[in-house]
Amino acid sequence: MQEFLNNWIPNVMGKQSAFYQAIIDTLVMASWSGIISFVLGLSLGVIITVTRAGGILQHAGVYQVLDKVINFFRSIPFIILLTGVMPFSRLIMGTAIGVEGAIVPLVFGTVPFFARQIESALAEIDHGLIEAALSMGSSPVEIIFRVYLRESIAGIARSTTITAISLLGLTAMAGVVGAGGLGDFAIRYGHDRNQTDVTYVTVLVLVVMVSIIQLIGSYVAKRNTH
C-alpha cells in the first residue's frame, strides 16, 4: 500500500506531516468559526424574524438596522472581506494571519448568510401555531423556543448543513492569504509548484468532509421532519 501511494501521490507522501497539519488546521478553523457563527447567526435570524412587520416583537428600527447590516456584509466578496477585517482580526485575535487570524473573517462571512438561512427556515412555521400560542398566554420568549425553534429543527438542520459546507469552502479560500489549512496547502504546493497530485488529494479530502457534513445534516433533518 505504501509503495502504491508513493507511486500515485509522491508529492503528498513526501509532505505527510504538512498535509495532516493542513487537515487539522481546516477542522480547527471550521469548528471554531462554525460554532460562533451558529450562535450569532441563529440569534440574528430569530431577532429579524420576530421584529419584522407582523412579528411577535415587531420593531421597525431594530429590524431595519439588522436587515441593512446583514445585506451589507453579504454583498462583500469573501476574498475582499478577508483583507478588509484584518485590523479587527489583530484587535481580537492578536494576529491577522494563520488559523487564528482566519476565524474572524470566516465569522463575518458566515453569520449573515446563516442568519438569512435561519430567517427562511423560521418563515415556514405555520402562523396558526403562533396565534394559538399567543391565545394561550405564552410569552414571546416561550414562543421563540417552543414554537419557532422547536417546530423548525429540520429546517435549521438543513440551513446548518448548507452553511457548514459553504464555510468549509471559505476556509479553503482563506488559504490564499496564508490562513493555513487545506486551501493553503493546495495553493502552496499544488498550484505554485505544479504538483497536481497535491491538488487532487486536497480536493478528495474536501469532498469527503462535505459528504460527511451532508450525511449528518440529512439524518438530523429527516429525524425531525413531521
Side-chain angles (χ1 to χ4, degrees):
M1 186 63 178
Q2 184 76 22
E3 184 178 350
F4 174 79
L5 293 176
N6 287 333
N7 289 332
W8 281 90
I9 51 173
N11 296 302
V12 175
M13 296 302 292
K15 305 176 183 66
Q16 288 186 59
S17 59
F19 179 57
Y20 295 145
Q21 187 60 51
I23 294 176
I24 293 172
D25 288 346
T26 293
L27 293 175
V28 169
M29 283 190 289
S31 298
W32 278 107
S33 57
I35 292 171
I36 297 171
S37 297
F38 179 84
V39 174
L40 295 179
L42 182 64
S43 301
L44 284 175
V46 169
I47 292 172
I48 59 179
T49 296
V50 299
T51 58
R52 68 189 313 160
I56 58 174
L57 291 173
Q58 180 176 328
H59 194 294
V62 172
Y63 176 80
Q64 290 297 329
V65 170
L66 291 180
D67 183 63
K68 298 300 185 294
V69 170
I70 291 172
N71 287 341
F72 174 76
F73 281 102
R74 283 195 67 190
S75 66
I76 303 175
F78 183 68
I79 194 67
I80 296 176
L81 190 64
L82 276 170
T83 57
V85 300
M86 277 186 175
F88 199 54
S89 298
R90 293 191 187 96
L91 180 64
I92 296 178
M93 307 298 294
T95 180
I97 60 175
V99 174
E100 295 85 358
I103 291 175
V104 173
L106 285 172
V107 170
F108 271 92
T110 304
V111 168
F113 177 78
F114 187 53
R116 288 302 187 198
Q117 292 287 324
I118 293 299
E119 182 185 15
S120 297
L122 298 182
E124 297 176 1
I125 297 295
D126 185 357
H127 195 68
L129 294 174
I130 300 172
E131 292 179 346
L134 286 171
S135 66
M136 290 187 292
S138 298
S139 67
V141 173
E142 289 174 331
I143 294 174
I144 289 172
F145 284 97
R146 295 180 182 178
V147 180
Y148 275 116
L149 297 181
R150 180 181 292 179
E151 295 298 324
S152 59
I153 292 177
I156 293 175
R158 287 190 288 267
S159 299
T160 302
T161 301
I162 294 171
T163 304
I165 292 173
S166 175
L167 175 60
L168 194 62
L170 296 184
T171 64
M173 194 184 302
V176 175
V177 294
L182 289 169
D184 177 65
F185 184 78
I187 292 170
R188 191 190 313 172
Y189 299 110
H191 179 269
D192 294 347
R193 301 186 185 182
N194 197 31
Q195 298 174 354
T196 55
D197 60 319
V198 171
T199 302
Y200 294 147
V201 171
T202 302
V203 170
L204 179 61
V205 171
L206 289 171
V207 169
V208 171
M209 289 182 177
V210 168
S211 299
I212 293 173
I213 293 171
Q214 186 64 60
L215 284 173
I216 295 173
S218 298
Y219 174 78
V220 175
K222 185 177 180 180
R223 286 294 300 269
N224 290 278
T225 300
H226 301 300

